[in-house]
Amino acid sequence: MVLTGDEVRQKFLDFFESKGHLVLPSAPLVPKDDPTLLWINAGMAPFKDYFDGRATPPRTRIATSQKCIRTNDIENVGRTARHHTFFEMLGNFSFGDYFKEEAIKWAYEFLVGEMDLDPQRFWISIYKDDDQAFDIWANQIGIPAERIVRWDKDENFWEIGTGPCGPCSEIHYDMGVEFGCSDDCQFGCECDRYKEVWNLVFTQYNLTEAGEYKPLPDKNIDTGLGLERLTSILQGVESNFETDFFMPIIEAIEEHSQHEYQSSEEAKMAYRVIADHIRSITLAIGDGVLPANEGRGYVIRRILRRAVRYAGVLELESPFLHKLVSVVVRIMGEVYTEIKQKEEQIKKVVEQEELRFQETLEQGMNILEELIQGLEETDEQTISGSEVFTLYDTYGFPKELTAEIAEEKGYQIDEAGFEEAMAKQQARARAAREEHQQGHVEAELFKQLREEITEPEFVGYRNTEAEAEVLKIVMEQEEVTSLAAGDEAWVILDRTPFYAESGGQVGDQGVLLGSDLTATVVDTQYKAELIAHQVVVEAGKLELGAQITAQVRAPQRQHIKRNHTATHLLHNALRNVLGEHVEQSGSLVEAERLRFDFTHFESLSSEELEAIEKEVNYQIRENLELQVLETTLEEAEELGAVALFDNSYGNQVRVVKAGDYSVELCGGTHVDATGEISLFKIINEGGIAAGVRRIEAVTGKYALKRINHQEELLKEAASKLKAEPEQIVAKVDKVQEQVKELEKQITALKDKLASTQAGELLTNQEEINGINLVMEQVEGLDAEALRSMGDSIKSKLDSGVIVLASDLDNKVLLVAMVTDDLVEKGFNAGQIVGQVAEVVGGGGGGRPDMAQAGGSQPEKLDVAFEEVRKIIKAS
């Protein structure tokens, strides 16, 4: 019996569930908290944090069928049998659990044992140095050595920038001579004979910023099996497009076109492009992406407009694509219920976008044809970048679409010229926006002032007070000559002890004092390279040319100095404890705390944090002398000075040394000796981006204040536990034991109550189309108790469907169960509970016989129960 695509997907998930994997639903196409990705483009993408250790997976073995979008080779979509913009990636993943042997053996077992593929047709590629993989394939699996090919890094080593990476092994399937480009076609040919089916990635290294491949402490497995490709093999069809994932779409198009699918290669490509693209569009809009002129929205607009153009090739009336949305929903809506829920909205969005594009398409096509005709008359081969940009900017033609049409006619476009025109337009747009921003006028004014005065002298490294003259006053983007009490403005002095914010260190605060004058300095910033003091006049009058005394708030400056020097010590301690790959990628130094961002690929253990904190405090107790050197950049590098992550340096640089422990280029203020820091305490550590961690810490009195606060909490906890502070751990252990015992008693009581209620619920069962349905909302049961009640009902129910819901802490818990006889008839608890959970604002899933879910809208349970009835009626 030929398997359907849906059956292939389910068999894969069931197989790996039997191998101890947690089956999770597909993540949305839009990445969550991952700015490095435009789309989820691989099965492993939602699990990046698990692979690099930033997060803990719910289980060390996971399997999914993941929705993916890739457009890097969109021009091949329709031309080949296997390229798609949207596809499903079947994957099994191990996070520090099993490794190569299990991954290879299970892949073989699934393809041969479950899918009944002929192992004599297998060709295996491995990384050239991966002898272990060769041994498993050849000696344990039994693949002949001549069908195991070693390829180099470009083909069989998986990495995307820095981070987890490793060799991979690909399973290819020989489709037969009839699929090849010639009778003597060899493995490795780009034709469709040898179809890559499954890629097994052995993630065993971490690629550092320095280009080193360091072994990961926990080795991982990441595999990707193309659902469409495998289905095409199993269904014995010419290409992925002849599978049941695409043929209903193609048949729907045929009903409206005078050109049959197989009538010509041009028609076939048009059918395939439309069928592929409408799937991408439907699934992407279902996940919340709307057509736009940038980002993901631009990708969808580009795909949609490409499909519209190919609809024109088939002479389909416009708008047309929106009519295919229902076909996609019919094929995929039971698995990806979000498109079923949003079907009408998706149709509307697609139709509106088609109409909008159609309005400009005809004009743009006429212009493009004229351009191509002009090339023919002048023997030119390239459409200029400015003309390509005009088509894009005025007529909505994506650059890629113009390039594709030109290529079909034997011409090309000026890519560099287009990018230059695009950059100019973006610059114009930015300039136009800035014209309406207050900062623009102010910035221009300070640039002008910089030309009029000598650069102010900074004397703040050794002084917190200086006599100065008021050179300039700027209030509300205008230069003024005086300020009265209550006025706020920027003031420039001829010399100043105030440090302007830079290098992560905040600007100083303080006062300006004069005859009858008191003005508070609330901030100090660089304005067009001038040190500018943000001043509020408290009393008196501040005038141009006045002689004043500038006083930095000394206690605050001292706290800032402590924290800045502490960041240098922290930086060096991080490199000593974690490795030389650590580099600063950001910082904030203020009076009350410090923040330090650094490159590292995993969260820090409590032992590592303790070691770092201990090392910094040791250097503080050593009371290292701080030395400041003014030298050349070359000499600084010879001293081993570490440069800050975002600074550019001239030839003369400032080097700050803390004894022989730390040497850094830095323009900030520092203590004279590390002992002034007094105490260093880490208060938080976490990830802020891929490969970037952040530590927050306090020093001096703020560290002591935190320790005292923690001690007070400890005393309060001890008091509540009626114990001495040193007895808290033992007391807590005892309380936890008591809690566990009480929980056991509660569980036993709940089980007893569930069993009693189960009998009552059976008397209230209803019948729909001959199917027994037990459905009830019970109060106050947690997930475990709800499952227990379901099991009790199921044991007493000969045949039927069970759906139980509990409203616990204003959240919904759902459990669905299906008896074995109904599972064989196609009823699926996972699909039922997933569909119902969406009604109550949640999600979930599970096995065909038992599944659970959650939601946030208990007030919609009545509607959810009606949905259950509809599902059974429709089955």
Side-chain angles (χ1 to χ4, degrees):
M1 183 180 71
V2 176
L3 295 174
T4 66
D6 285 347
E7 288 171 336
V8 174
R9 183 196 299 110
Q10 192 59 51
K11 279 184 173 291
F12 174 88
L13 298 176
D14 290 345
F15 176 82
F16 279 99
E17 187 174 46
S18 74
K19 302 297 184 184
H21 291 65
L22 172 66
V23 174
L24 293 178
S26 172
L29 286 163
V30 178
K32 181 181 180 182
D33 300 327
D34 188 350
T36 67
L37 288 179
L38 195 63
W39 299 101
I40 293 295
N41 58 6
M44 62 77 62
F47 306 132
K48 285 172 68 175
D49 288 357
Y50 301 156
F51 278 108
D52 62 20
R54 285 177 291 163
T56 302
R59 197 180 295 174
T60 55
R61 298 180 181 186
I62 288 176
T64 61
S65 180
Q66 176 61 48
K67 298 180 292 186
C68 300
I69 282 183
R70 291 182 192 173
T71 58
N72 54 305
D73 50 8
I74 190 174
E75 67 279 358
N76 287 324
V77 175
R79 298 182 190 276
T80 72
R82 62 189 185 277
H83 283 95
H84 302 292
T85 53
F86 172 88
F87 59 96
E88 291 185 69
M89 184 74 79
L90 302 173
N92 57 291
F93 309 93
S94 167
F95 307 102
D97 193 322
Y98 61 85
F99 199 47
K100 290 183 186 178
E101 185 172 341
E102 293 89 343
I104 291 173
K105 285 183 176 179
W106 288 340
Y108 183 86
E109 181 182 347
F110 176 74
L111 292 178
V112 177
E114 297 291 323
M115 298 292 100
D116 201 28
L117 292 185
D118 181 3
Q120 300 304 314
R121 294 191 175 198
F122 285 6
W123 282 78
I124 308 299
S125 65
I126 61 172
Y127 181 54
K128 61 182 180 180
D129 297 330
D130 196 348
D131 294 330
Q132 184 184 8
F134 180 89
D135 177 70
I136 297 169
W137 280 116
N139 300 323
Q140 297 186 43
I141 301 299
I143 300 296
E146 61 268 23
R147 295 213 310 271
I148 306 174
V149 180
R150 295 176 184 263
W151 282 344
D152 61 21
K153 192 173 181 180
D154 290 339
E155 295 291 338
N156 276 78
F157 195 98
W158 186 90
E159 66 181 31
I160 302 179
T162 58
C165 59
C168 58
S169 178
E170 295 171 335
I171 304 171
H172 303 254
Y173 197 75
D174 185 355
M175 299 296 293
V177 176
E178 64 272 24
F179 285 84
C181 54
S182 63
D183 290 344
D184 57 351
C185 177
Q186 299 295 313
F187 178 64
C189 181
E190 289 295 322
C191 71
D192 291 326
R193 174 173 175 177
Y194 299 94
K195 187 171 289 188
E196 179 193 334
V197 178
W198 207 337
N199 188 11
L200 313 177
V201 180
F202 312 126
T203 312
Q204 61 191 91
Y205 301 110
N206 182 71
L207 175 58
T208 69
E209 295 285 348
E212 298 176 280
Y213 291 91
K214 294 189 174 182
L216 286 170
D218 294 317
K219 296 177 174 62
N220 306 314
I221 288 294
D222 156 30
T223 84
L225 168 61
L227 175 59
E228 292 85 356
R229 292 191 188 188
L230 179 58
T231 302
S232 70
I233 295 172
L234 295 170
Q235 294 181 357
V237 293
E238 177 183 307
S239 75
N240 296 359
F241 294 94
E242 278 75 51
T243 66
D244 59 344
F245 286 128
F246 292 91
M247 281 309 296
I249 305 173
I250 289 172
E251 289 165 0
I253 298 170
E254 274 190 317
E255 292 177 9
H256 296 84
S257 175
Q258 298 179 9
H259 304 271
E260 294 181 354
Y261 176 51
Q262 298 286 359
S263 60
S264 68
E265 287 303 313
E266 183 182 31
K268 183 188 291 186
M269 179 172 178
Y271 272 93
R272 291 179 171 184
V273 168
I274 297 169
D276 171 271
H277 289 8
I278 194 60
R279 294 205 324 158
S280 297
I281 295 161
T282 301
L283 272 296
I285 297 174
D287 278 347
V289 181
L290 298 176
N293 280 334
E294 58 186 17
R296 299 180 187 93
Y298 174 69
V299 173
I300 294 307
R301 175 164 284 169
R302 173 189 170 195
I303 291 173
L304 193 149
R305 290 183 171 183
R306 189 170 187 259
V308 169
R309 178 178 168 250
Y310 279 94
V313 171
L314 297 178
E315 297 180 279
L316 294 163
E317 62 180 23
S318 183
F320 172 77
L321 295 181
H322 68 283
K323 298 176 182 178
L324 299 176
V325 171
S326 294
V327 186
V328 177
V329 170
R330 190 165 68 244
I331 298 168
M332 309 184 74
E334 294 303 318
V335 176
Y336 301 116
T337 54
E338 62 274 8
I339 62 173
K340 194 171 185 178
Q341 298 278 343
K342 299 179 181 179
E343 181 176 347
E344 292 307 314
Q345 177 192 346
I346 298 170
K347 283 182 184 177
K348 188 175 294 184
V349 171
V350 173
E351 183 177 16
Q352 289 175 345
E353 185 68 16
E354 283 183 274
L355 291 170
R356 186 179 293 115
F357 183 44
Q358 199 63 43
E359 292 172 0
T360 57
L361 183 61
E362 187 173 342
Q363 288 177 284
M365 282 295 294
N366 290 337
I367 292 172
L368 183 54
E369 287 173 3
E370 290 175 6
L371 290 173
I372 291 173
Q373 185 177 351
L375 294 177
E376 292 172 349
E377 293 172 355
T378 59
D379 291 329
E380 293 287 332
Q381 297 296 314
T382 305
I383 302 175
S384 73
S386 61
E387 290 168 327
V388 175
F389 180 78
T390 298
L391 283 167
Y392 161 78
D393 194 42
T394 306
Y395 299 99
F397 265 64
K399 175 195 69 176
E400 297 81 2
L401 180 56
T402 303
E404 192 170 327
I405 295 172
E407 183 184 353
E408 290 174 0
K409 302 290 185 179
Y411 299 94
Q412 59 187 14
I413 67 169
D414 177 12
E415 297 259 2
F418 173 87
E419 296 301 334
E420 183 180 351
M422 175 69 83
K424 288 180 179 177
Q425 188 228 37
Q426 290 171 340
R428 289 193 296 269
R430 283 195 299 270
R433 288 194 299 270
E434 289 170 357
E435 287 291 338
H436 295 87
Q437 297 173 352
Q438 291 183 339
H440 177 74
V441 177
E442 184 181 85
E444 291 301 314
L445 176 57
F446 276 100
K447 287 179 184 177
Q448 179 183 330
L449 297 181
R450 188 181 63 197
E451 301 297 322
E452 298 174 3
I453 61 175
T454 303
E455 183 177 344
E457 179 187 3
F458 175 63
V459 296
Y461 285 129
R462 287 296 170 192
N463 302 297
T464 57
E465 182 176 321
E467 301 302 314
E469 177 185 349
V470 178
L471 296 182
K472 295 289 181 181
I473 305 172
V474 174
M475 185 169 68
E476 296 179 353
Q477 291 80 51
E478 290 185 4
E479 189 176 358
V480 298
T481 58
S482 65
L483 297 174
D487 287 344
E488 182 174 351
W490 292 100
V491 174
I492 299 173
L493 308 175
D494 67 334
R495 62 199 304 266
T496 178
F498 285 82
Y499 181 87
E501 181 175 342
S502 62
Q505 180 175 328
V506 297
D508 280 332
Q509 297 179 339
V511 293
L512 303 183
L513 300 173
S515 178
D516 300 323
L517 168 70
T518 302
T520 300
V521 179
V522 297
D523 195 11
T524 310
Q525 296 284 330
Y526 276 109
K527 298 283 186 179
E529 301 178 17
L530 296 173
I531 299 174
H533 310 76
Q534 188 178 2
V535 167
V536 177
V537 178
E538 307 294 345
K541 188 176 183 180
L542 192 155
E543 294 183 292
L544 205 62
Q547 299 295 316
I548 56 92
T549 300
Q551 291 182 352
V552 173
R553 190 177 295 166
Q556 183 185 48
R557 163 73 78 82
Q558 188 64 22
H559 292 311
I560 292 172
K561 287 164 65 176
R562 289 190 183 102
N563 283 339
H564 204 152
T565 303
T567 64
H568 286 215
L569 302 181
L570 172 60
H571 190 183
N572 209 53
L574 285 165
R575 291 169 70 88
N576 288 342
V577 174
L578 303 179
E580 291 297 311
H581 65 278
V582 169
E583 292 183 0
Q584 180 178 347
S585 60
S587 69
L588 173 66
V589 179
E590 51 188 13
E592 296 186 1
R593 67 184 179 119
L594 65 90
R595 189 180 74 205
F596 192 82
D597 302 339
F598 58 98
T599 55
H600 190 56
F601 52 86
E602 60 185 356
S603 60
L604 275 62
S605 67
S606 57
E607 291 79 12
E608 288 171 331
L609 289 171
E610 183 180 351
I612 292 162
E613 192 176 273
K614 184 177 180 180
E615 182 167 329
V616 172
N617 279 309
Y618 175 79
Q619 301 303 330
I620 291 171
R621 292 195 302 275
E622 287 292 288
N623 198 28
L624 304 174
E625 180 185 357
L626 268 289
Q627 292 180 290
V628 177
L629 308 173
E630 299 283 346
T631 184
T632 65
L633 182 59
E634 183 178 354
E635 289 175 347
E637 289 172 345
E638 290 176 0
L639 288 171
V642 177
L644 294 182
F645 76 107
D646 63 350
N647 281 0
S648 55
Y649 302 95
N651 188 47
Q652 286 297 120
V653 294
R654 186 170 185 265
V655 178
V656 177
K657 290 186 62 183
D660 293 326
Y661 179 73
S662 169
V663 185
E664 291 196 17
L665 301 182
C666 180
T669 61
H670 290 272
V671 296
D672 294 326
T674 59
E676 296 176 38
I677 300 170
S678 179
L679 182 64
F680 173 85
K681 185 67 180 174
I682 294 173
I683 60 175
N684 189 42
E685 187 275 336
I688 60 169
V692 180
R693 311 293 301 177
R694 170 173 291 173
I695 280 180
E696 294 181 87
V698 287
T699 65
K701 77 170 188 179
Y702 294 103
L704 185 61
K705 183 178 178 181
R706 181 175 178 83
I707 291 171
N708 288 339
H709 177 65
Q710 290 175 330
E711 187 174 339
E712 287 301 316
L713 291 176
L714 190 64
K715 288 178 180 178
E716 184 179 349
S719 175
K720 290 184 176 182
L721 288 167
K722 297 180 180 179
E724 294 299 318
E726 58 269 18
Q727 298 172 330
I728 282 182
V729 174
K731 192 74 173 180
V732 168
D733 286 342
K734 186 175 180 180
V735 170
Q736 286 180 328
E737 288 177 9
Q738 292 172 343
V739 169
K740 287 179 181 178
E741 183 59 36
L742 290 171
E743 286 175 343
K744 288 180 182 178
Q745 295 176 25
I746 291 170
T747 300
L749 289 170
K750 283 183 176 180
D751 288 344
K752 187 175 181 180
L753 177 62
S755 180
T756 302
Q757 287 181 312
E760 296 174 1
L761 295 181
L762 275 170
T763 63
N764 296 328
Q765 66 182 281
E766 51 190 292
E767 184 178 321
I768 301 174
N769 290 350
I771 303 299
N772 295 320
L773 172 63
V774 178
M775 185 165 61
E776 192 67 47
Q777 178 180 351
V778 291
E779 298 299 329
L781 295 188
D782 59 19
E784 186 177 351
L786 209 59
R787 287 195 302 272
S788 178
M789 178 179 284
D791 287 336
S792 183
I793 294 171
K794 190 176 179 183
S795 68
K796 299 177 176 66
L797 188 66
D798 293 331
S799 175
V801 174
I802 304 161
V803 177
L804 301 176
S806 176
D807 179 355
L808 188 67
D809 297 328
N810 206 32
K811 291 184 179 179
V812 178
L813 297 174
L814 291 165
V815 168
M817 295 185 178
V818 178
T819 55
D820 293 343
D821 63 312
L822 295 183
V823 170
E824 291 178 2
K825 293 180 180 179
F827 286 86
N828 188 305
Q831 292 179 4
I832 292 172
V833 83
Q835 197 166 330
V836 172
E838 288 192 4
V839 178
V840 292
R847 304 190 307 269
D849 62 327
M850 194 285 286
Q852 61 187 49
S856 59
Q857 298 170 312
E859 68 276 7
K860 292 186 177 180
L861 271 172
D862 288 343
V863 181
F865 284 169
E866 280 303 314
E867 184 69 18
V868 175
R869 295 184 178 97
K870 289 179 183 177
I871 293 170
I872 294 176
K873 286 178 183 177
S875 299

